[in-house]
């Protein structure tokens, strides 16, 4: 049997009892390490489970999936994923490969950022399409996520923005060499995301003569749009902050992972009341 | 401390280790019993936790919240919720009431249908707004959810349809009497939901002369639209079926809970490949 087990939001105790029992009786246990990140670290997990884990980076999962699945027709193999098993396309692919080989599969679900964002009080069924905000570099500044945010606003929907994660990315120079060298891991912060959004707002304002960045054009964003920053959701050190887009640029919510929400313009009174408690913290954090 | 703890998808072992440890040291533990439903039953949970639970129905939560929160400034009280704590507005309200009373609150997240639907292979970030399909009666046939499905399709997004649950609803007659009497619980099945959708499609076809129910008008649904039915997600008896809207009307996926997905019209090849395994079962189930 091949198990894909969600670890939830990242404390070792966030695993379900079902998941923990399976891990204890598996022959091999892999820990996926590149689509999300473990706040607690591999050692703490190994200590909690009382066993060794095999780290599975992108190269292993995408190029050596056969190794991971080896023998799973007859022995139990587990593949651990931060959040829920179906958060990333790669894991769907792994399930299909297992089925092709006639290996039985089983899923153990858990919380993921996709449902845990409800902790800020915005109702999950008022969310539209989720977007990803990628790191920009000098030559590559994609902004198609902005149009999706605007489409959600137009329909009165909140947008969850997942912020980029770069883990074990080979350096450009090392791609030419025999020995791969890797860049240090990077996790986009809410202030970096806000900065990129503000650059897009400024560009759109330039394009539409007469619209200043502090004026919201219909359904678009402006410097004054209320947004919500979330850090380390589900952890003891969780932080949530509701402030304007331009204020968010100057905020430090601490260590990863961060997410951003663009709420719709017509908050339900209960959503508004719940958000207010996170707006009051603003002065302490800025 | 007042804890709101998600139970996940309903097996006793779906609780997280963190959640289980908290339950064991709480003074009182409530089990919310009306926004979702426990597949395993209260007794099985009590046996697994080794303690008694207090059943909290709608009347208790909405009218006697003070009783639930009583003493939580000094002792630990837990409130258990099927799925994730933030799935329903009521629980957000309970958090606010606790804060008003100066009671500290803590959340233990878990899987909910909102992220577990990924199990059918449709990518979570291709979902638009979630809709709820309510039970119709003779005089009340709301269909505003249909327009939301169409809006999602227009933007190339899947729609998760949550199906109605009626638990402990007072009978109309008993509302006049002193003693409340309750209707038997009802859980909308995928076939009931498909039937209501087909009635809407027929009505729209009548309204737009010349469009037959088996012809899809732009972005609308037709009898032939591919839809996905899910039953008991996350359980050993989970069933997923991909078939046409009109076929779904004649399907029996067994006991609750059921959910329905309307996939967008442009499936990603990996989504298509994954869905195919659930279409092959069609002959066995129909």
């Amino acid at each position: 049997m091949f198990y894909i087990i969600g670890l939830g939001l990242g404390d070792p105790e966030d695993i379900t009892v079902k998941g923990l029992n399976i891990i204890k009786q598996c022959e091999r246990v892999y820990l996926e390490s590149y689509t999300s990140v473990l706040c607690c670290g591999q050692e703490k997990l190994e200590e909690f489970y009382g066993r060794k884990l095999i780290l599975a980076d992108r190269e292993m999962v995408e190029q050596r999936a056969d190794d991971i699945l080896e023998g799973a027709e007859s022995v139990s193999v587990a593949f651990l994923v931060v959040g829920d098993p179906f958060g990333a396309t790669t894991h769907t692919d792994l399930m299909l490969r297992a089925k092709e080989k006639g290996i039985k599969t089983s899923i153990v679900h858990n919380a993921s950022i996709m449902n845990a964002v409800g902790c800020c009080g915005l109702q999950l069924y008022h969310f539209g399409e989720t977007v990803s905000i990628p790191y920009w570099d000098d030559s590559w500044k994609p902004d198609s996520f902005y149009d999706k945010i605007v489409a959600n606003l137009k329909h009165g929907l909140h947008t969850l923005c997942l912020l980029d994660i770069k883990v074990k990315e080979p350096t450009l120079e090392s791609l030419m060499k025999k020995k791969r060298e890797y860049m240090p891991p990077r996790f986009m912060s809410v202030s970096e995301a806000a900065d990129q959004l503000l650059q897009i707002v400024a560009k759109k304002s330039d394009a539409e003569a007469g619209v200043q960045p502090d004026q919201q054009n219909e359904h678009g964003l402006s410097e004054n749009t209320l947004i919500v920053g979330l850090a380390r959701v589900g952890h003891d050190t969780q932080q949530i902050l509701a402030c304007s887009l331009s204020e968010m640029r100057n905020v430090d919510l601490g260590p990863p992972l961060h997410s951003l929400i663009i709420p719709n313009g017509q908050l339900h009174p209960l959503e508004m009341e719940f958000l207010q408690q996170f707006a009051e913290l603003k002065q302490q954090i800025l």
Side-chain angles (χ1 to χ4, degrees), chain A:
Chain A
M1 182 76 97
F2 181 65
Y3 295 95
I4 306 190
I5 299 174
L7 298 184
L9 299 164
D11 278 337
E13 298 83 12
D14 283 334
I15 193 163
T16 63
V17 174
K18 192 186 274 177
L20 185 60
N21 289 339
I22 292 170
I23 287 174
K24 289 189 169 161
Q25 49 93 16
C26 273
E27 191 94 349
R28 301 193 307 281
V29 181
Y30 294 89
L31 173 63
E32 190 267 309
S33 68
Y34 66 98
T35 62
S36 188
V37 71
L38 207 63
C39 291
C40 63
Q42 184 180 350
E43 296 71 27
K44 241 177 120 181
L45 270 195
E46 290 181 332
E47 193 182 317
F48 185 71
Y49 302 152
R51 62 173 300 155
K52 281 276 165 205
L53 303 176
I54 307 163
L55 211 63
D57 60 17
R58 185 189 297 270
E59 283 168 50
M60 180 189 277
V61 177
E62 292 183 356
Q63 290 162 32
R64 289 185 287 132
D66 287 352
D67 294 356
I68 295 174
L69 295 170
E70 200 191 325
E73 304 86 355
S74 48
V75 302
S76 292
V77 175
F79 186 81
L80 312 184
V81 177
V82 176
D84 187 70
F86 286 102
T89 323
T90 342
H91 312 141
T92 319
D93 189 59
L94 211 49
M95 288 270 292
L96 283 173
R97 281 165 180 259
K99 294 216 167 167
E100 272 167 25
K101 289 173 181 281
I103 295 169
K104 283 194 180 149
T105 57
S106 179
I107 296 298
V108 181
H109 289 285
N110 210 321
S112 72
I113 188 70
M114 305 287 277
N115 67 344
V117 285
C119 64
C120 71
L122 296 172
Q123 296 299 313
L124 290 179
Y125 47 83
H126 293 158
F127 277 78
E129 184 176 8
T130 299
V131 307
S132 294
I133 302 188
Y135 269 119
W136 284 351
D137 60 30
D138 292 341
S139 59
W140 197 67
K141 293 185 167 38
D143 63 3
S144 58
F145 57 86
Y146 183 82
D147 298 331
K148 292 182 178 177
I149 294 172
V150 173
N152 282 340
L153 287 172
K154 208 186 265 180
H155 290 90
L157 299 172
H158 313 311
T159 308
L160 168 62
C161 306
L162 302 174
L163 307 186
D164 205 358
I165 293 174
K166 298 265 187 211
V167 183
K168 217 177 171 188
E169 296 273 323
T171 61
L172 208 58
E173 302 80 46
S174 82
L175 283 176
M176 322 290 190
K177 298 180 195 166
K178 261 200 174 152
K179 192 174 171 293
R180 282 280 163 87
E181 280 159 9
Y182 299 95
M183 293 189 271
R186 287 167 78 198
F187 308 97
M188 189 183 284
S189 67
V190 290
S191 73
E192 288 172 308
D195 183 61
Q196 289 192 185
L197 280 169
L198 283 164
Q199 288 185 50
I200 298 172
V201 170
K203 206 176 73 181
K204 303 263 173 194
S205 308
D206 283 347
E208 298 167 37
V211 179
Q212 295 300 311
D214 62 343
Q215 292 179 335
Q216 183 158 357
N217 53 50
E218 207 201 355
H219 303 304
L221 298 185
S222 80
E223 292 176 354
N224 302 323
T225 303
L226 175 79
I227 67 170
V228 183
L230 303 98
R232 301 173 303 287
V233 168
H235 292 258
D236 293 341
T237 62
Q238 169 179 303
Q239 279 202 311
I240 304 178
L241 176 73
C243 65
S244 75
L245 178 55
S246 61
E247 285 172 308
M248 193 66 82
R249 177 157 50 180
N250 302 314
V251 153
D252 179 6
L253 292 187
L257 293 174
H258 290 193
S259 310
L260 202 70
I261 300 174
I262 320 290
N264 70 40
Q266 312 105 44
L267 293 182
H268 182 278
L270 197 65
E271 292 181 318
M272 184 63 92
E273 191 185 343
F274 208 90
L275 266 190
Q276 267 160 9
Q277 56 186 315
F278 306 120
E280 284 160 15
L281 282 173
K282 193 169 57 175
Q283 298 312 324
Q284 300 165 22
I285 294 180
L286 282 177

